[in-house]
Amino acid sequence: MIRAALVQQKWTGDKESMIANAVEHIRNAASQGAQVLCLQELFYGPYFCQVQDADFYSYTEAIPDGPTTALMKEVAAQNNIVLIVPMYEQEQPGVYYNTAAVIDADGTYLGKYRKNHIPQVKGFWEKFYFKPGNLGYPVFDTAVGRIGVYICYERHFPEGWRALGLAGAKIVFNPSATSRSLSEYLWRLEQPAAAVANEYFVGAINRVGVEPLGDNEFYGQTYFVSPRGQLIGEAASDTEEELVVRDLDLDLLTEVRDTWAFYRDRRPDTYEGLVTP
């Protein structure tokens, strides 16, 4: 049994207070016994992709050598909690990624996931800010077991979900910044469907509120879902900041995989055409 946590935040107005607010949530979660926690996409800034403005490149940091990763390593060790920390990464000047750092419960930096699928539509001008990821779909061995990360828009793409399952992920976290629009009804469909199809737990995280850069209303509704496609407890508020803490019974993974055996019945020899341009 793993106790896991998710945080949906409102934009406070500056990077420093967003980080302080996140650290407070982490400590609160740890005090409730949480062993792993994921923050929202680009957690310490506004969702600046509502506009195209090079001034927001200033939100980038090196990972793992930047100050926020260093801080979160300390916080993880102090609270004995695994952290997934989504940030705006600078690899070198002019080369930026939408990235999540993964830090083990003893403060060890385990690696990072770079968002592979980058949208470019109204209100989500991400190609202006991010280069597509180049690290594949890593799975990280942590104090709570093998976990994966998939970021926001990527939830629409089944291939990455499957790659994480094939690599042995038991829990996949999907930190997001998604607003009320055509996607809202999909929020309660896609991640449960991915959990069922790939037979693991999914933690779906969304920010909440309206930010000064546009009229996108981020609708929260952060939740955990089981490999049976059932929400674990209620989803979070659609208007307020919230910490979600839930117990995940990893024994359910064996039960579900023995019942459905999707991985046994796959036919990869018939799928070659899926990767033909």
Side-chain angles (χ1 to χ4, degrees), residues 44-109:
Y44 57 56
Y47 183 69
F48 43 75
C49 306
Q50 294 183 77
V51 298
Q52 298 183 84
D53 186 341
D55 285 349
F56 290 106
Y57 295 159
S58 64
Y59 277 85
T60 58
E61 292 189 13
I63 299 175
D65 297 325
T68 301
T69 307
L71 171 64
M72 290 300 178
K73 288 169 63 178
E74 294 179 4
V75 172
Q78 290 166 359
N79 293 277
N80 192 33
I81 190 169
V82 177
L83 296 178
I84 299 92
V85 186
M87 293 179 281
Y88 191 10
E89 181 193 7
Q90 175 179 293
E91 182 181 54
Q92 63 186 58
V95 180
Y96 310 130
Y97 296 93
N98 188 333
T99 300
V102 179
I103 301 167
D104 213 354
D106 63 357
T108 301
Y109 169 76

Side-chain angles (χ1 to χ4, degrees), residues 66-252:
T68 301
T69 307
L71 171 64
M72 290 300 178
K73 288 169 63 178
E74 294 179 4
V75 172
Q78 290 166 359
N79 293 277
N80 192 33
I81 190 169
V82 177
L83 296 178
I84 299 92
V85 186
M87 293 179 281
Y88 191 10
E89 181 193 7
Q90 175 179 293
E91 182 181 54
Q92 63 186 58
V95 180
Y96 310 130
Y97 296 93
N98 188 333
T99 300
V102 179
I103 301 167
D104 213 354
D106 63 357
T108 301
Y109 169 76
L110 296 177
K112 58 193 169 188
Y113 172 71
R114 289 172 170 165
K115 185 174 182 178
N116 284 292
H117 304 86
I118 309 297
Q120 184 74 356
V121 298
K122 183 180 179 181
F124 299 87
W125 304 115
E126 295 200 9
K127 283 185 167 66
F128 183 84
Y129 294 99
F130 311 123
K131 183 175 179 177
N134 56 4
L135 300 177
Y137 301 95
V139 169
F140 303 93
D141 288 306
T142 76
V144 296
R146 291 175 67 78
I147 66 171
V149 184
Y150 213 35
I151 298 178
C152 195
Y153 177 66
E154 302 198 289
R155 67 184 180 275
H156 306 309
F157 296 84
E159 295 85 357
W161 290 117
R162 178 66 86 200
L164 292 166
L166 289 171
K170 308 299 185 186
I171 310 170
V172 174
F173 294 92
N174 182 232
S176 300
T178 189
S179 60
R180 297 190 197 275
S181 64
L182 290 175
S183 76
E184 186 174 2
Y185 82 98
L186 295 174
W187 182 252
R188 298 291 189 100
L189 293 176
E190 287 178 309
Q191 278 118 187
V196 170
N198 298 287
E199 299 176 324
Y200 48 52
F201 290 91
V202 172
I205 310 98
N206 190 20
R207 63 177 61 208
V208 69
V210 178
E211 300 178 357
L213 294 174
D215 57 4
N216 286 1
E217 182 185 2
F218 301 101
Y219 52 77
Q221 301 179 52
T222 293
Y223 62 83
F224 280 106
V225 62
S226 79
R228 293 194 183 281
Q230 298 167 322
L231 265 61
I232 302 169
E234 298 294 322
S237 170
D238 67 346
T239 58
E240 301 301 323
E241 186 164 308
E242 194 166 332
L243 169 66
V244 174
V245 180
R246 301 286 186 266
D247 290 328
L248 312 182
D249 183 0
L250 297 190
D251 285 344
L252 184 60

